[in-house]
Amino acid sequence: MTATQSFTGDAHPYGGGDPYADYRTADFPFTRYANLADRQLGAGVVAANDEFFAQRENLLVAGPAEFDPEHFGHKGKVMDGWETRRRRGASAEHPWPAAEDHDWALVRLGAPGVIRGIVVDTAHFRGNYPQAVSVEGASVPGSPSPEELLADEVKWTTLVPRTPVGGHAANGFAVSVEQCFTHLRVNQHPDGGIARLRVYGEVVPDPRWLSALGTFDVVALENGGQVEDASDLFYSPATNTIQPGRSRKMDDGWETRRRRDDGNDWIRYRLVARSEIRAVEIDTAYLKGNSAGWATVSVRDGDDGDAGEGEWTEILPRTRLQPDTNHRVTLAAPAVATHARVDIFPDGGISRLRLFGSLTEEGASRLAARHQELGG
């Protein structure tokens, strides 16, 4: 069910200097998927049984955890993560926690989806990280309260079995459960601290919701769109271009390194399903001296073979882009597609791509079948 990375072992005491100098991590293949536990997408930590030393909400903070060795509060060392108090046994004769004792936090995913991998990051937790962690998933419709999530009738599926973790390390777990989940229960055994939680996977949208919307952004992450590949990810992930809302700062978009050749940069997307596109929006918000000079948008219809090959049809010819500007174009005729590609010339960046349209009859049928198959 679940493949895990090798246990990274104990962390060394903080020796001063760069707090990340001895941080342990690895290249996890599943991180190419979107982070379903992104606050920008709508995720949240809705409850925890204990957060005595550090608040549960820190788990989903964007960016790496910070560490100030001299920052102490009235409860002790202030940590950038979720940290519980030390557990104790039932009596003086047995002062140690029981084998089943653990702390937990409930996480609402930003969008329902199939989970491909989880990273439990214990950055800066060196002598106070959990001995082991486990993660469970559930699919609960609507907007359930913590009490409803903890009810006996809710079915929880093990995604990561109880597994030892290392301190001051990114502990990665590949997940192979082909099911749609809306919430996670993160357990630390028996207690301790976790700096960050990242949950990588594919959004599975509710076809009834998209049908009710009619016209919507068919490449948006929250609607089930995906980034399949990109020419350059030097400064920021290409997935930023299909995040909700407008970009709020420069690194909230996609920016490439400076080219020194005659090529150009690009992103390839998979749409939520086969769609009919009627309007295009390219936003360069907050990209002022580094926005792309020009851009084209092309589409491809069909799932056979490699989506990077085959016939691409240009629906937006090479168009001059302005810095820090939202560009809107309506198409002369609708374009039917399953994939899209934006090419920027020669380099630089865009903050968002929006493709407005609706599902074709075939696309809606396939989406509904997949939603049902995954238990959504």
Side-chain angles (χ1 to χ4, degrees):
M1 176 184 294
T2 303
T4 65
Q5 295 292 327
S6 298
F7 175 48
T8 60
D10 293 334
H12 296 297
Y14 177 62
D18 179 3
Y20 273 104
D22 61 342
Y23 176 70
R24 279 83 53 80
T25 188
D27 291 327
F28 303 119
F30 53 74
T31 58
R32 69 183 181 86
Y33 294 99
N35 177 23
L36 302 182
D38 191 337
R39 293 249 343 144
Q40 191 172 356
L41 194 58
V45 186
V46 299
N49 71 307
D50 186 292
E51 47 187 332
F52 185 85
F53 285 116
Q55 295 178 329
R56 65 182 191 263
E57 287 86 358
N58 290 334
L59 284 172
L60 306 188
V61 170
E66 298 180 354
F67 182 71
D68 181 351
E70 298 181 356
H71 191 189
F72 286 82
H74 65 278
K75 290 184 178 180
K77 180 72 185 71
V78 175
M79 297 296 290
D80 185 8
W82 167 50
E83 185 182 4
T84 65
R85 72 193 80 198
R86 298 185 187 223
R87 281 185 170 268
R88 297 295 185 238
S91 66
E93 289 70 30
H94 199 286
W96 309 279
E100 66 274 12
D101 287 347
H102 67 278
D103 292 318
W104 54 263
L106 295 177
V107 177
R108 179 190 66 242
L109 298 180
V114 178
I115 297 168
R116 302 303 184 193
I118 296 172
V119 173
V120 177
D121 192 340
T122 57
H124 314 304
F125 287 91
R126 296 170 178 270
N128 50 348
Y129 58 93
Q131 181 186 42
V133 299
S134 61
V135 183
E136 302 160 278
S139 182
V140 183
S143 304
S145 66
E147 293 75 21
E148 290 170 324
L149 290 170
L150 294 171
D152 292 339
E153 60 268 21
V154 174
K155 177 187 176 183
W156 291 91
T157 300
T158 298
L159 304 179
V160 178
R162 182 170 175 165
T163 307
V165 292
H168 194 46
N171 300 276
F173 307 91
V175 177
S176 57
V177 180
E178 202 69 16
Q179 186 178 334
C180 180
F181 296 102
T182 61
H183 294 78
L184 299 185
R185 184 161 61 190
V186 180
N187 306 304
Q188 45 180 342
H189 308 268
D191 54 39
I194 299 170
R196 296 289 188 267
L197 176 73
R198 302 293 184 249
V199 182
Y200 297 97
E202 303 171 62
V203 173
V204 179
D206 185 342
R208 295 166 298 183
W209 174 251
L210 297 184
S211 176
L213 293 179
T215 297
F216 59 92
D217 182 1
V218 298
V219 76
L221 177 61
E222 60 187 327
N223 294 333
Q226 299 178 44
V227 168
E228 288 194 327
D229 201 2
S231 60
D232 187 288
L233 302 173
F234 188 82
Y235 285 115
S236 47
T239 303
N240 282 354
T241 61
I242 54 175
Q243 286 278 9
R246 293 197 74 198
S247 175
R248 296 169 294 179
K249 51 193 176 72
M250 192 176 74
D251 66 350
D252 193 17
W254 172 61
E255 181 187 359
T256 71
R257 73 190 84 195
R258 299 188 187 208
R259 276 191 170 269
R260 304 306 187 197
D261 58 23
D262 294 333
N264 73 283
D265 290 313
W266 51 267
I267 306 175
R268 190 179 75 234
Y269 306 87
R270 176 183 290 272
L271 308 184
V272 54
R274 192 166 190 251
S275 305
E276 190 176 80
I277 302 167
R278 293 187 287 276
V280 175
E281 195 172 285
I282 299 177
D283 196 353
T284 59
Y286 287 96
L287 296 167
K288 299 180 179 181
N290 50 354
S291 66
W294 292 263
T296 64
V297 176
S298 305
V299 297
R300 178 178 181 271
D301 184 25
D303 290 323
D304 296 332
D306 183 358
E309 305 297 333
E311 291 295 326
W312 288 88
T313 302
E314 195 174 83
I315 61 172
L316 179 69
R318 194 173 299 192
T319 301
R320 185 74 169 95
L321 299 182
Q322 299 299 324
D324 196 27
T325 300
N326 197 14
H327 309 76
R328 291 177 171 174
V329 179
T330 56
L331 303 183
V336 175
T338 56
H339 297 78
R341 172 176 166 137
V342 60
D343 284 79
I344 62 171
F345 301 87
D347 56 24
I350 61 173
S351 59
R352 296 290 187 271
L353 173 72
R354 306 295 188 207
L355 301 176
F356 293 102
S358 54
L359 298 179
T360 64
E361 185 175 340
E362 177 195 350
S365 177
R366 286 194 178 190
L367 187 66
R370 174 168 167 76
H371 188 261
Q372 183 177 18
E373 177 186 343
L374 295 172

